Structure formats: C-alpha cells, structure tokens
C-alpha cells in the first residue's frame, strides 16, 4: 500500500487531506511540530477513518529529526503543508517566515533525495499571482508581486521546487495553488481552529455565530464589485483535500514541475458568504462595514479548467455545504480542539 508523508498533517488542510488519502486507500504518516495544531487531531483522524496514522511530533526543518521518519517508513510521496501562514504576522516577522518556510522545504527536499523519494506535492497559494493579473487567474499567467512575506515564501518555494525538478530528472513536483479553503469534514470532528482572533473570514463568522465575538467587520464595501464587498473563490476543504489525492496520482506518472489551481471558478462576495452562512446555520451574523484591509484585492478567483482537464478533478460541494460544515464543526467544538 502506498505510504504518504504529510508535513503539517495535523493542521487544517493537512488533516482533511489525511482523511481523503486514507479514504482512497493510502497509508498516512504525519510529521507536525504542533506549533499551530493539536495532537488530539490524530485521535480524531482515527475516529473518522478507523485507522490511526503514524505521527511524529518533530520539526521538519531539522534533518536529524526528519531522516528517521524516512528510515522507519517506505515513503512513496510527500505533501508539504508545514509552514507559517499568518499574513499580518509575516509583515511583522519576515525573517522568521523566510527562515521557517524555506528551511522546512529545503531540509525536506534534501532528506527525500537521500531516501530516494521523488514525489512532492506543495501547498501553495493563489497569492503568488500577485496584484497584476486579471481574474479568472490561469496557471499560464506570470506570477506577480506579493503584498507580504508569507506570500513571497510561497512564491519562492515554488521557484525552488521548479529548479529542483529541472535539475533532478526523477523528481516530480506538483504545485497546488489554493484559493480560499473553508468548510470542514462533515463529521464535525476536524476543522479550522485558529489561535486568537481569526484573520480569515469564515472562522470569524463562525466565532460570531457561536457567541465568541460580538460582530463581524466587513473590510470595505466600496470595491468595484456588484455589492461593493470583495469577492473570493471559496472552496470546500474536502474538495481541496481530494485534489491532493489526484495530484499525487498525477505525480506518479510524470516528472518535472506542474502547477494547478485548486478553486471552484465561482466567486462570492463577503456579504454573499455572510448570508449563505445565516441560511445554512439559521443563526444571524451581526456585522458592521469597516475600513478596507491593507493588501486586499477586489476580486480573486480561479480558472479551474486545468485541474479538471489534466487531473480529472473538480469541486463537488456548494457554498451551502461549506457553510453547513463550517458551522457543524464550530458548534460542536465551540473552543476548537482546546474545548
Ligand atoms: C488571505 C491571504 C492569503 C492567504 C489566505 C489563507 C490576505 C491579503 N490574503 O486570503 O494570502 O493565502 O488568506 O487563508 O490576507 N474579510 C472581512 N472581515 C474579516 C475577515 C475577512 O471582511 O474579518 C474579507 C476580506 O476582506 C476578504 C475576504 O473576507 O475580502 C476573505 O478574507 P480572508 O479569509 O482573510 O482570505 P484572503 O484575504 O482572500
């Protein structure tokens, strides 16, 4: 049975991908330093799938900790989720972001090379398209300038992986550019659990709905969009997770580096998401209109055609599904995993 290492596999997207992989018959090994996640996630994965993934609470940037994982398991491929991901914090602590996100990737690549593992799927972001490209964003567009160090780490890691794939003929790299993942596994056992005040829209909405925060601030309603609020391509995290399974299958039959958007191709505005959430949950979400947030773009959405054509993957779940599952997770775990 094929065995896949997930770095950052206890995090939001990593844990959902672990479920999708186990559902597809893969064995999963998780390496995660629990910087932004909890070890109870491993118990929850076992509850959902009936199988307990192997788990290493290690720092992937440390080759001495990582090499034994490859020695103990016959790893067929790696999906690299581990990394710092808070946009605002990355502006305050750029060196920490570059150090951590680049070091983990380089150590992982070197350790994989020593172990003879050559399938690498990377957790990238639509942020690498920058501000210059018009929507829908297509993989053939040139990458742009990122508005923050977090985004630049994704862009730089894409470059590192592309160069590595050119130099190492056996290496197969798939760069997955995520749009806006929300939702949760329908069991309500795993979901997004941000520390402190959420930066992202859906966790903020669910925390308002559950009574942890009084109201949502909508960041600007004077954008050049139909209702004046920003539009994004929200994607159900289980659809996203299934995209990783397809990417691994693709990496098995190909070498070189290939880029895929993982999005739905359909944008929704902030207010459309708020109203869809209220409908799906039956809970009102009080909001006020605030100032624009620095660095936000009016519109970000994917051309989702390439993943459909080449990977045979497209999203199946609706905005209603995303809102229902986000609410199911939050209402069952009002304080997240620490509840
Ligand atoms: C953000 C990051 C992106 C990163 C992604 C990871 C920025 C500029 N971009 O994307 O690089 O890959 O998160 O998940 O930070 N909104 C509100 N009120 C809130 C929170 C959000 O109105 O309290 C609005 C935002 O203005 C935006 C939309 O909701 O229009 C989505 O915001 P968010 O969930 O933070 O995602 P992005 O900004 O698209």
């Amino acid at each position: 049975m094929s065995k896949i290492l997930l770095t950052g596999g206890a995090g939001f997207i990593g844990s959902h991908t672990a479920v999708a992989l186990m559902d597809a018959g893969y064995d999963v090994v998780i390496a995660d330093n629990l910087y932004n996640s909890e070890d109870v996630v491993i118990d929850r994965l076992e509850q959902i799938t009936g199988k307990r993934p192997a788990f290493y609470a290690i720092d992937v940037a440390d080759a001495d900790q990582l090499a034994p994982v490859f020695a103990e398991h016959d790893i067929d491929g790696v999906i690299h989720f581990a990394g710092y991901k808070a946009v605002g914090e990355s502006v305050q602590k750029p060196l920490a972001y570059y150090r951590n996100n680049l070091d983990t990737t380089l150590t992982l690549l070197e350790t994989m090379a020593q172990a003879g593992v050559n399938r690498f799927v990377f957790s990238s972001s639509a942020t690498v398209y920058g501000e210059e490209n018009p929507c829908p964003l297509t993989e053939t567009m040139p990458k742009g300038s990122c508005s923050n160090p977090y985004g630049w780490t994704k862009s730089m890691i894409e470059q590192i992986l592309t160069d590595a794939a050119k130099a190492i003929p056996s290496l197969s790299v798939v760069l997955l550019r995520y749009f806006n993942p929300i939702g949760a596994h329908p069991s309500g056992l795993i979901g997004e659990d941000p520390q402190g005040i959420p930066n992202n829209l859906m966790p903020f909405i669910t925390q308002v709905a559950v009574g942890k925060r009084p109201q949502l601030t909508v960041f600007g309603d004077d954008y050049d969009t139909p209702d004046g609020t920003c539009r994004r391509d929200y994607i159900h995290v289980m659809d996203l997770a299934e995209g990783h399974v397809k990417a691994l299958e693709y990496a098995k039959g190909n070498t070189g580096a290939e880029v895929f958007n993982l999005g739905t191709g359909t944008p929704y505005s902030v207010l459309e998401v708020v109203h869809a959430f209220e409908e799906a949950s039956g809970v009102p979400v009080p909001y006020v209109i605030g100032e624009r947030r620095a660095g936000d773009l009016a519109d970000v959405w994917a051309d989702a055609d390439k993943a459909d054509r080449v990977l045979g993957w497209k999203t199946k779940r609706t905005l209603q599904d995303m809102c229902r599952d986000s609410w199911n997770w939050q209402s069952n775990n009002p304080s997240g995993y620490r509840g």
Side-chain angles (χ1 to χ4, degrees):
M1 192 180 295
S2 196
K3 206 178 250 195
I4 306 301
L5 173 65
L6 308 188
T7 72
F12 173 46
I13 301 172
S15 59
H16 288 80
T17 301
V19 172
L21 284 167
M22 289 193 274
D23 283 352
Y26 287 89
D27 273 342
V28 166
V29 178
I30 290 176
D32 194 310
N33 67 358
L34 303 176
Y35 173 80
N36 199 13
S37 55
E38 306 285 327
D39 55 6
V40 68
V41 169
I42 309 301
D43 301 333
R44 302 280 179 96
L45 292 175
E46 185 176 10
Q47 259 179 283
I48 293 170
T49 64
K51 272 179 79 175
R52 192 170 184 85
F55 173 57
Y56 294 83
I58 59 162
D59 186 347
V60 174
D62 182 347
D64 292 340
Q65 295 182 47
L66 185 60
V69 178
F70 285 90
E72 285 162 29
H73 298 274
D74 191 8
I75 304 284
D76 292 304
V78 172
I79 311 182
H80 182 36
F81 298 101
Y84 292 165
K85 59 170 189 176
V87 172
E89 185 185 60
S90 80
V91 177
Q92 309 301 322
K93 302 179 183 169
L95 302 187
Y97 270 67
Y98 289 117
R99 168 69 71 194
N100 182 64
N101 290 4
L102 300 187
D103 262 3
T104 50
T105 307
L106 293 168
T107 302
L108 185 55
L109 277 169
E110 287 166 353
T111 310
M112 284 171 66
Q114 280 157 12
V117 178
N118 47 35
R119 275 198 279 169
F120 195 114
V121 176
F122 178 56
S123 181
S124 191
S125 167
T127 196
V128 303
Y129 286 110
E131 304 177 356
E132 298 87 355
N133 288 305
C135 290
L137 298 165
T138 309
E139 293 89 342
T140 51
M141 289 172 171
K143 291 196 296 180
S145 327
C146 300
S147 58
N148 57 77
Y150 155 78
W152 278 117
T153 68
K154 294 294 182 190
S155 191
M156 288 177 185
I157 293 169
E158 285 200 0
Q159 187 64 47
I160 290 168
L161 289 167
T162 304
D163 291 341
K166 265 187 214 148
I168 308 167
S170 57
L171 188 61
S172 178
V173 166
V174 181
L175 308 174
L176 298 179
R177 293 180 180 163
Y178 307 155
F179 283 69
N180 289 61
I182 59 171
H185 189 267
S187 64
L189 288 167
I190 54 174
E192 190 168 10
D193 182 22
Q195 292 174 4
I197 302 171
N199 298 308
N200 298 113
L201 178 63
M202 185 54 84
F204 207 105
I205 289 178
T206 60
Q207 290 198 7
V208 171
V210 85
K212 284 185 78 173
R213 310 201 178 268
Q215 62 189 18
L216 170 73
T217 301
V218 175
F219 296 144
D221 70 348
D222 57 352
Y223 285 95
D224 184 17
T225 59
D227 66 14
T229 66
C230 298
R231 293 186 296 178
R232 295 288 180 273
D233 187 334
Y234 296 95
I235 172 172
H236 196 296
V237 66
M238 286 309 300
D239 275 329
L240 190 80
E242 288 160 12
H244 291 72
V245 178
K246 295 290 188 180
L248 268 179
E249 286 166 9
Y250 175 86
K252 192 167 191 173
N254 294 276
T255 54
E258 204 65 47
V259 182
F260 296 98
N261 287 340
L262 295 185
T264 67
T266 304
Y268 289 103
S269 73
V270 176
L271 291 181
E272 284 175 315
V273 174
V274 170
H275 294 135
F277 181 87
E278 291 179 321
E279 204 172 299
S281 66
V283 180
V285 178
Y287 67 86
V288 290
I289 305 294
E291 297 292 308
R292 289 183 176 197
R293 180 172 67 178
D296 275 349
L297 302 176
D299 278 326
V300 180
W301 79 85
D303 175 345
D305 181 61
K306 183 178 176 188
D308 185 5
R309 209 167 10 91
V310 180
L311 301 180
W313 170 91
K314 61 174 181 241
T315 59
K316 293 186 269 199
R317 296 156 178 98
T318 64
L319 182 61
Q320 285 294 320
D321 297 332
M322 302 178 212
C323 292
R324 185 200 57 228
D325 292 335
S326 287
W327 178 234
N328 185 42
W329 153 251
Q330 183 77 74
S331 53
N332 281 304
N333 306 267
S335 302
Y337 292 113
R338 291 167 292 270

